[in-house]
């Protein structure tokens, strides 16, 4: 059977849905640039190693979600499942450590082999930001504030909650891991099969589990906050104080650990209750060990990424595009004049709806469908007088305007 259909989990975006995703990306760019971030574009595929090494070999992404393939030269390549690994690879490879801090934003397609459902696709778009080279909580506060303002500008601030937690430094993380493993071992029989396996490989991930039986166990698990050493607790307190100062509301969620291995200290998610199980629209955290792991020296980093389609689904209406002007020739002899007027209007910045055929009635109906604000009607009489009828389609008023003044009149 011929497969002339889109692959499961991929979508054709057009019309209102495309306008909404574009709006999300545009506002993201605008906000990020205001915060001093510059755009970076890294390749859509990388050596598999770039992701396998960085995301950790126990993460869901690496164990079951990557699109890997061998190219004709026999290299193992992977379609990028997320943006941070590629940005950090580019940072190290281009020697950007010389000029810190480095602040990048990006957007583009990501690929994950997941079970498709509402808000979960196999090709989706992320918009993300990374800040490299700042060790202090100022960076954490700035990134969360930027994420919050981004959603505010999209009109979604009222619908999302900032959830935040601290994983602390390596010492705190080890201490917590030990306590958690002891606790989970004592409840081994109650855990799901997946979580029993996680217990050995990456116990923190059990906290993330969506299985009901795991959730019951996790409810009484030791609290992360009790394992933070003094320095880590002080760092987290400063991040929260910064958010308080800016009036950004948050909820400390002790169970929030995030799926990737590279996080330390602050992790956060912006969550809505509108998308069911796919309620996380934006997520991020600090990754102080990642650059070093890539061979780039001890450069701290922090970043976030959001699902552009998930955010677009929350937008009630698409952004309004400017209303066009319809150019309406009556009879073939008016076509050249209409062509010229349309060209001049467009060059003057006026969007033009140009009917490609049909009589006056058909063309006026099309103008109404396009929500045109005015029609420029050019018939035989007008042509002879070197004018066109400019009709305001909202109030029906009309007047004759010399052909060469039309662009000026409608600008
Ligand atoms: P989830 O728990 O939903 O699987 P995640 O932890 O895998 O999310 P991240 O890797 O942190 O997600 O990606 C950041 C954001 O990208 C998510 O919050 C979400 O909005 C979006 N995202 C992730 N995976 C998908 C997907 N398969 N389809 C659409 N959007 C996605
Ligand atoms: Mg996932």
């Amino acid at each position: 059977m011929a497969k002339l259909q889109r692959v499961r989990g991929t979508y054709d975006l057009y019309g209102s849905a495309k306008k909404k995703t574009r709006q999300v990306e545009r506002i993201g760019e605008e906000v990020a640039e205001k915060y001093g971030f510059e755009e970076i574009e890294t390749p859509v595929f990388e050596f598999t190693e770039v992701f396998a090494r960085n995301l950790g070999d126990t993460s869901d992404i690496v164990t079951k979600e990557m699109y890997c393939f061998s190219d004709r030269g026999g290299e193992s390549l992977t379609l990028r499942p997320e943006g941070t690994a590629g940005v950090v690879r580019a940072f190290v490879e281009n020697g950007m450590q010389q000029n810190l801090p480095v602040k990048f934003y990006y957007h583009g397609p990501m690929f994950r082999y997941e079970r498709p459902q509402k808000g979960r696709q196999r090709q989706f778009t992320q918009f993300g930001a990374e800040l490299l080279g700042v060790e202090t909580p100022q960076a954490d506060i700035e990134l969360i504030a930027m994420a919050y303002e981004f959603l505010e500008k999209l009109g979604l601030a009222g619908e999302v909650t900032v959830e935040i937690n601290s994983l602390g430094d390596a010492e705190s993380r080890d201490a917590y891991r030990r306590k958690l493993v002891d606790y989970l071992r004592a409840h081994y029989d109650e855990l799901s099969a997946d979580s029993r396996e996680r217990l050995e490989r990456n116990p923190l991930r059990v906290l993330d589990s969506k299985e009901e039986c795991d959730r019951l166990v996790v409810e009484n698990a030791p609290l992360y906050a009790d394992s933070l050493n003094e320095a880590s607790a002080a760092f987290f307190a400063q991040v929260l104080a910064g958010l308080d100062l800016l009036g950004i509301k948050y909820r400390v969620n002790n169970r929030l650990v995030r799926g990737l291995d590279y996080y330390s200290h602050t992790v956060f998610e912006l969550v809505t209750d509108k998308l069911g199980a796919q309620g996380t629209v934006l997520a991020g955290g600090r990754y102080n060990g990642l650059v070093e792991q890539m061979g780039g020296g001890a450069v701290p980093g922090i970043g976030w990424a959001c699902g552009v389609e998930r955010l677009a689904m929350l937008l009630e209406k698409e952004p309004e595009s400017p209303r066009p002007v319809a150019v309406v020739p009556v009879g073939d002899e008016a076509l050249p004049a209409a062509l010229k007027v349309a060209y001049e209007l467009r060059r003057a910045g006026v969007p033009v709806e140009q009917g490609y055929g049909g009589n006056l009635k058909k063309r006026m109906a099309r103008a109404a469908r396009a929500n045109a604000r005015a029609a420029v009607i050019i018939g035989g009489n007008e042509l002879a007088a070197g004018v066109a009828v400019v009709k305001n389609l909202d109030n029906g008023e009309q007047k004759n305007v010399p052909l060469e003044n039309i662009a000026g009149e409608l600008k």
Side-chain angles (χ1 to χ4, degrees):
M1 193 172 60
K3 291 195 168 176
L4 301 179
Q5 297 153 343
R6 56 189 168 73
V7 172
R8 203 161 112 81
T10 65
Y11 295 89
D12 304 309
L13 270 186
Y14 56 93
S16 168
K18 181 63 224 179
K19 287 185 185 152
K20 288 178 179 174
T21 59
R22 188 172 67 170
Q23 168 86 340
V24 171
E25 290 175 321
R26 283 206 175 150
I27 292 192
E29 288 182 342
E30 197 181 291
V31 172
E33 292 193 4
K34 222 169 46 175
Y35 280 73
F37 288 70
E38 250 182 60
E39 186 166 10
I40 186 169
E41 188 172 329
T42 62
V44 167
F45 55 85
E46 302 263 1
F47 289 119
T48 299
E49 193 63 15
V50 170
F51 305 111
R53 164 114 61 110
N54 285 307
L55 311 183
D57 25 286
T58 59
S59 65
D60 280 355
I61 292 185
V62 173
T63 53
K64 44 187 194 209
E65 295 175 0
M66 293 204 306
Y67 276 94
C68 305
F69 60 99
S70 312
D71 71 2
R72 287 167 191 275
E75 299 282 7
S76 174
L77 305 180
T78 293
L79 297 181
R80 64 180 180 199
E82 58 97 62
T84 305
V87 171
V88 170
R89 196 265 313 132
F91 170 86
V92 174
E93 186 167 349
N94 295 290
M96 297 186 210
Q97 301 94 320
Q98 304 312 318
N99 215 346
L100 297 174
V102 165
K103 299 166 78 168
F104 282 130
Y105 73 85
Y106 61 84
H107 51 91
M110 306 292 163
F111 306 83
R112 296 184 192 177
Y113 191 79
E114 300 203 67
R115 197 164 65 79
Q117 51 196 295
K118 188 179 182 208
R120 196 173 289 287
Q121 310 171 190
R122 288 184 172 171
Q123 176 177 335
F124 61 101
T125 312
Q126 278 188 342
F127 183 100
E130 314 289 351
L131 197 171
L132 291 134
V134 177
E135 208 165 5
T136 60
Q138 289 171 75
D140 309 53
I141 298 162
E142 182 174 89
L143 268 258
I144 295 170
M146 181 167 101
Y148 189 80
E149 188 183 334
F150 169 43
L151 296 192
E152 198 173 50
K153 288 262 146 64
L154 285 170
L156 302 174
E159 297 177 19
V160 297
T161 315
V162 181
E163 303 222 339
I164 188 167
N165 194 21
S166 172
L167 307 180
D169 56 12
E171 185 188 69
S172 306
R173 196 171 161 142
D174 288 346
Y176 181 68
R177 183 193 291 253
R178 275 195 304 276
K179 275 201 235 170
L180 182 66
V181 168
D182 287 347
Y183 172 81
L184 293 176
R185 287 234 165 89
H187 295 268
Y188 190 82
D189 296 340
E190 298 152 55
L191 293 174
S192 68
D194 267 357
S195 284
R196 286 178 191 174
E197 199 193 321
R198 289 191 191 111
L199 175 56
E200 302 308 323
R201 295 163 60 91
N202 190 353
L204 290 187
R205 293 301 319 281
V206 177
L207 299 181
D208 254 358
S209 170
K210 285 163 186 142
E211 300 274 350
E212 184 59 24
C213 58
D214 296 332
R215 282 183 175 269
L216 289 173
V217 175
V218 162
E219 238 164 60
N220 298 310
L223 290 182
Y224 215 120
D226 298 333
S227 297
L228 294 183
N229 61 20
E230 211 172 304
S232 298
F235 188 97
F236 191 39
Q238 285 182 66
V239 174
L240 298 184
L243 297 179
D244 289 335
L245 180 76
L246 303 183
I248 296 173
K249 292 205 188 61
Y250 56 83
R251 189 174 81 87
V252 175
N253 175 354
N254 258 290
R255 309 284 176 227
L256 184 65
V257 291
R258 308 282 313 126
L260 304 178
D261 281 4
Y262 54 53
Y263 288 116
S264 55
H265 288 289
T266 317
V267 290
F268 57 95
E269 289 187 347
L270 274 63
V271 183
T272 158
D273 56 12
K274 296 256 162 83
L275 294 172
Q278 273 61 251
T280 303
V281 289
L282 184 151
R286 189 171 262 285
Y287 46 84
N288 285 352
L290 188 57
V291 176
E292 190 149 39
Q293 206 173 307
M294 286 287 278
V299 178
I302 178 166
W304 55 253
C306 69
V308 170
E309 293 86 355
R310 272 193 207 176
L311 279 172
M313 280 162 54
L314 293 171
L315 300 186
E316 254 149 44
K317 49 183 178 30
E318 61 199 57
E320 281 178 25
S321 15
R323 298 172 68 191
V325 165
V327 174
V328 180
V330 184
D332 285 352
E333 72 273 23
L335 286 176
L339 187 66
K340 188 136 194 281
V341 167
Y343 181 61
E344 276 163 11
L345 277 169
R346 284 171 173 157
R347 290 214 301 173
V350 179
V352 171
E353 160 71 23
Q354 208 196 168
Y356 300 97
N359 59 21
L360 178 64
K361 196 172 157 218
K362 273 220 172 96
R363 285 177 187 259
M364 290 306 282
R366 203 153 48 217
R369 259 202 316 278
N371 192 27
R373 62 183 164 100
V376 178
I377 303 162
I378 311 174
N381 293 343
E382 286 82 24
L383 207 54
V387 299
V389 176
V390 172
K391 179 171 182 180
N392 180 322
L393 294 179
D394 290 328
N395 60 19
E397 275 170 24
Q398 55 182 64
K399 61 177 171 184
N400 287 347
V401 178
L403 287 173
E404 63 276 12
N405 294 349
I406 287 178
E409 171 81 19
L410 287 170
K411 220 165 28 192

